[in-house]
Amino acid sequence: MEDTTRLTSEHSIKLFIQRDYSEGTAVKFQERFPPELEGKIDRSKFIDIIRHINSIYAEAEALSCKTFMENCCACLTGYLLLLCMPTHYEKCAKRAARYISEENDRTLNPKGIFMIDPMEKGLRCIEVCISSNR
Amino acid sequence: MVRKWEIIESKNRFYCDGRCLTGRNIGVFILALVLIIVTSGLFFAFDCPYLANRLHPAIPVFAAIIFLTVICFIFRTACSDPGILPRGTSDEILYLERSNVSNSPQSVALPGRTIEVQMSSGHVIQLKFCSTCKIFRPPRVSHCSLCDACIANFDHHCPWVGNCVGLRNYRYFYLFLFSLSILCAYIFAFNITHVVLRAQEKPSFIDAIRDTPATVVEAIICFFSIWSIVGLWGYHTYLICRSITTNEDIKNTWNASRPGMTMKNPYSKGHSCLNCFSILCGPLPPSFLNLRAIVKPDDHINMTRNAMMNTNNAQDLIRYQHEENRRTNNNRVYTTMTHPYSERKQNSYPPRDYV
């Protein structure tokens, strides 16, 4: 156990941005600035990134004619259609992953922060690693 | 080359190199499948020729369409991921232990802690810690002991399909029940028609039955199963309209009257049509497990431990591979390189007691 403790405390910190369940089970991450990131990154920049991820997932989960049609068509083909085309949600999840990797390259990595796609954690939280030898 | 499904801890069976999964016990599922196939097979073999001649050639065609739909939906329900949540890693446990995300004091051990969420609808929801999956269970997530995994929007573990019914396969399950009710009623109705038509040609009703023993067998199977199938379908229609899960209905989560609390279901969209629409046709997240991802052997752990993650090898931590040519069945094109300290690595730490 000491190993993990040392790993996490001396060289890097990991933090997990939790889901915001105040509006039900819709995918939404807490839009608040973790104190561990104080002095590392601009507060509004970080919250903007989270807010953008939330907006992508909000779009993925929105009830729209498009998803309705998509599901009806898939249902009529016995859901075999889903084997050959990505759903709206999958496209959005992929877009969120792409956005996170772009932000990693552009703003986060130069400041020693690394953000991981929340899909890896089953959309429960966003894992953020901060390296502290900076 | 190790894929992620080979090292996953839940008690599921995986097939086709991680493309599909079922629960551990699939005996009852096979029984259900045999019952459906045998009954339909008898119908096609003994009733259809007579009925097609005597009444209309479209009767076997419709039966075949309904039968294929049933088979398609039962396999879809049984073989898709019901929404299994990946387990927490040791880093996450450590973070949760230290941080004050929960409302309980830090002196309380993690499994005893809860998170209270104040919802904008006025409900207060308690998130409990799952000591097996090592996560705070999000709302509507429940742990299935048979699959040994936390399932999103857990409905129930259905032995007949040999899998949990949850967020990702609930609509398939509902459509399976719906199509099976129709198939059952269809076969039963034409069994009766068959016997009645034959009775008109024969001197007595007993002779007609003696001529068609298979029809009688089918009629008996259908007669006994139709009530439970149609009943279950009706029950799930009622649940969908109210937007509650079987699990919540059994536990009576939204009816129990507690003083000073509004116990209206917070997940209901307000109108039953809207609830049906969002449950049956709403957007569906891809599987969280990414079962076909290739796990890199943990040979670079030592490197990470010594060189530690400064920004350059933070990239090594998790690497997304954009491999357009290796599209998995759920179309998540990126493949995850596992985390230095995740799943496999956990085994090399002294086991933690979270019971």
Side-chain angles (χ1 to χ4, degrees):
Chain A
M1 204 58 235
E2 285 81 25
D3 268 0
T4 351
T5 321
R6 204 188 64 233
L7 274 175
T8 321
S9 61
E10 276 178 25
H11 304 282
S12 74
I13 308 165
K14 281 200 175 178
L15 50 106
F16 296 84
I17 295 161
Q18 304 293 317
R19 274 274 288 278
D20 179 359
Y21 293 112
S22 63
E23 277 154 47
T25 44
V27 177
K28 188 171 180 242
F29 296 96
Q30 288 177 356
E31 287 170 2
R32 63 164 203 218
F33 190 71
E36 291 92 336
L37 286 173
E38 206 70 71
K40 293 238 172 213
I41 185 171
D42 186 34
R43 174 183 285 264
S44 60
K45 179 68 206 158
F46 188 79
I47 291 177
D48 275 349
I49 294 174
I50 302 288
R51 204 165 276 162
H52 193 253
I53 296 170
N54 282 346
S55 73
I56 294 174
Y57 277 104
E59 193 196 317
E61 302 220 312
L63 293 175
S64 63
C65 276
K66 190 173 176 286
T67 52
F68 179 72
M69 287 308 293
E70 189 181 272
N71 276 293
C72 288
C73 292
C75 180
L76 290 178
T77 58
Y79 291 97
L80 296 173
L81 190 68
L82 298 187
L83 298 178
C84 38
M85 81 171 217
T87 62
H88 175 65
Y89 204 118
E90 281 165 351
K91 284 181 206 154
C92 288
K94 229 177 284 171
R95 188 147 57 87
R98 204 161 48 229
Y99 171 75
I100 290 170
S101 80
E102 275 169 21
E103 283 298 331
N104 271 334
D105 290 342
R106 202 184 314 146
T107 39
L108 299 175
N109 283 7
K111 295 187 167 76
I113 303 168
F114 188 73
M115 196 184 260
I116 292 163
D117 179 16
M119 235 17 229
E120 293 303 319
K121 291 269 163 201
L123 298 177
R124 279 184 297 107
C125 51
I126 307 179
E127 187 173 347
V128 179
C129 313
I130 315 164
S131 71
S132 47
N133 42 7
R134 277 232 154 203
Chain B
M1 195 169 71
V2 180
R3 289 195 192 261
K4 213 165 160 190
W5 64 268
E6 290 171 78
I7 54 163
I8 218 150
E9 287 124 318
S10 69
K11 288 181 191 158
N12 287 97
R13 287 166 189 263
F14 299 92
Y15 306 91
C16 306
D17 202 14
R19 283 189 184 86
C20 42
L21 83 174
T22 63
R24 170 98 348 226
N25 294 315
I26 51 167
V28 187
F29 167 58
I30 291 168
L31 176 71
L33 213 53
V34 167
L35 267 177
I36 295 171
I37 291 173
V38 164
T39 314
S40 315
L42 287 175
F43 180 70
F44 285 120
F46 295 100
D47 300 64
C48 282
Y50 179 84
L51 290 168
N53 276 333
R54 187 78 199 274
L55 289 175
H56 201 278
I59 292 168
V61 177
F62 277 114
I65 292 172
I66 304 168
F67 172 72
L68 288 179
T69 315
V70 171
I71 294 297
C72 186
F73 286 139
I74 195 176
F75 272 105
R76 193 79 206 192
T77 316
C79 300
S80 26
D81 167 21
I84 297 172
L85 291 179
R87 295 192 176 185
T89 53
S90 48
D91 300 318
E92 197 180 345
I93 301 163
L94 209 68
Y95 173 78
L96 291 173
E97 222 163 35
R98 289 176 177 183
S99 66
N100 48 1
V101 288
S102 69
N103 303 68
S104 315
Q106 296 233 330
S107 54
V108 180
L110 207 44
R113 289 192 207 169
T114 53
I115 299 181
E116 280 190 358
V117 179
Q118 175 72 49
M119 288 183 71
S120 45
S121 55
H123 295 75
V124 177
I125 290 177
Q126 241 186 22
L127 309 185
K128 290 184 182 132
F129 189 77
C130 176
S131 45
T132 314
C133 299
K134 301 179 178 60
I135 56 171
F136 278 102
R137 280 186 212 131
R140 299 198 124 175
V141 170
S142 193
H143 188 87
C144 172
S145 51
L146 290 162
C147 298
D148 208 24
C150 273
I151 314 283
N153 262 34
F154 180 73
D155 195 83
H156 65 291
H157 183 97
C158 181
W160 293 101
V161 297
N163 199 355
C164 273
V165 178
L167 176 68
R168 292 192 69 254
N169 61 356
Y170 187 70
R171 63 185 61 170
Y172 309 139
F173 177 71
Y174 179 76
L175 289 168
F176 161 65
L177 284 181
F178 179 60
S179 52
L180 190 60
S181 313
I182 294 176
L183 182 71
C184 234
Y186 190 90
I187 291 181
F188 189 59
F190 280 108
N191 285 157
I192 304 287
T193 319
H194 187 187
V195 173
V196 168
L197 286 175
R198 275 194 190 245
Q200 286 171 354
E201 295 166 357
K202 297 279 167 185
S204 75
F205 191 71
I206 305 295
D207 285 336
I209 287 179
R210 208 173 283 146
D211 275 0
T212 56
T215 308
V216 177
V217 173
E218 287 162 51
I220 290 169
I221 296 177
C222 285
F223 180 78
F224 283 108
S225 50
I226 198 162
W227 307 110
S228 49
I229 293 164
V230 172
L232 199 59
W233 170 70
Y235 173 64
H236 278 280
T237 311
Y238 159 79
L239 291 183
I240 288 177
C241 289
R242 291 184 56 203
S243 189
I244 55 177
T245 65
T246 309
N247 193 34
E248 285 167 351
D249 193 52
I250 290 169
K251 290 182 180 162
N252 218 357
T253 316
W254 308 118
N255 285 334
S257 51
R258 271 178 242 164
M261 276 173 123
T262 45
M263 288 314 285
K264 203 177 150 284
N265 178 9
Y267 309 115
S268 170
K269 308 253 180 217
H271 193 276
S272 46
C273 287
L274 205 57
N275 285 334
C276 288
F277 169 57
S278 67
I279 290 174
L280 297 177
C281 295
L284 207 59
S287 171
F288 301 129
L289 296 173
N290 205 6
L291 289 168
R292 292 188 29 88
I294 295 164
V295 175
K296 219 180 164 195
D298 40 314
D299 48 11
H300 66 290
I301 282 154
N302 289 331
M303 188 257 325
T304 329
R305 187 167 289 171
N306 300 330
M308 253 37 265
M309 343 175 245
N310 45 43
T311 338
N312 299 335
N313 51 26
Q315 297 284 342
D316 283 335
L317 206 65
I318 270 208
R319 218 181 281 153
Y320 290 93
Q321 274 194 336
H322 290 277
E323 288 177 288
E324 289 295 334
N325 52 346
R326 192 182 287 146
R327 292 171 73 95
T328 59
N329 70 327
N330 50 9
N331 288 304
R332 286 177 72 183
V333 286
Y334 46 82
T335 308
T336 320
M337 288 301 173
T338 205
H339 216 252
Y341 332 103
S342 70
E343 289 90 33
R344 302 200 72 181
K345 187 60 197 131
Q346 269 181 9
N347 306 336
S348 55
Y349 291 131
R352 292 177 62 86
D353 213 14
Y354 270 107
V355 187

